[in-house]
Amino acid sequence: MKQTNRIDFHIRLERSGGVAGIQMKKEVNTRNLDGEEIRSLQDLLERSGLFREAPPTPADSSHPDQILYAISVEYSGRQDVLEWKGTRLPESLRELVRYVERKGTSGESAPDAIPPS
């Protein structure tokens, strides 16, 4: 059986703001996933266009209840972090955010902020 080099990913999602000001942190680490789940997550990352998106814009202070997202992906000794306002969360990222909200581990819980499309 041919052995392939496996790249481990650690994805962290942080959501804050909103009317209640609830903070949520969820993490997914591919070391805790089976091969099929890893492939699904890699497909989501690819389809999300995460690293092709335009740079985030800072939060508008005139909207204190706005939901903010920060997505961090660590892999191969590298870390990329991007942030978005909830109203500007690109559609291409919504599926990835929902996946991390569902599958991620965390000590905190908050209701899903992204409704189904």
Side-chain angles (χ1 to χ4, degrees):
M1 175 185 280
K2 182 180 176 184
Q3 186 175 10
T4 59
N5 292 335
R6 177 177 158 155
I7 297 176
D8 289 320
F9 288 87
H10 183 101
I11 301 171
R12 182 177 300 116
L13 170 68
E14 295 183 34
R15 185 180 68 220
S16 61
V19 175
I22 296 173
Q23 292 188 346
M24 182 274 305
K25 296 178 183 178
K26 295 275 187 152
E27 299 182 12
V28 173
N29 191 324
T30 57
R31 291 180 182 166
N32 303 325
L33 303 176
D34 65 30
E36 187 174 323
E37 286 182 293
I38 291 170
R39 282 186 293 282
S40 293
L41 182 56
Q42 286 174 328
D43 287 345
L44 276 175
L45 280 168
E46 183 69 29
R47 287 193 318 262
S48 76
L50 183 62
F51 303 112
R52 294 186 306 263
E53 293 295 335
T57 54
D60 182 350
S61 60
S62 66
H63 292 75
D65 294 334
Q66 187 160 336
I67 295 174
L68 304 174
Y69 291 91
I71 300 173
S72 167
V73 180
E74 298 174 26
Y75 60 98
S76 299
R78 175 181 170 179
Q79 180 179 20
D80 290 305
V81 180
L82 296 172
E83 298 176 337
W84 282 272
K85 296 178 195 178
T87 57
R88 294 187 181 208
L89 184 68
E91 187 62 37
S92 61
L93 281 171
R94 291 178 185 270
E95 191 175 0
L96 176 63
V97 167
R98 283 194 285 274
Y99 177 90
V100 176
E101 285 178 336
R102 270 193 332 270
K103 300 280 188 169
T105 58
S106 171
E108 305 170 49
S109 65
D112 288 344
I114 299 184
S117 300

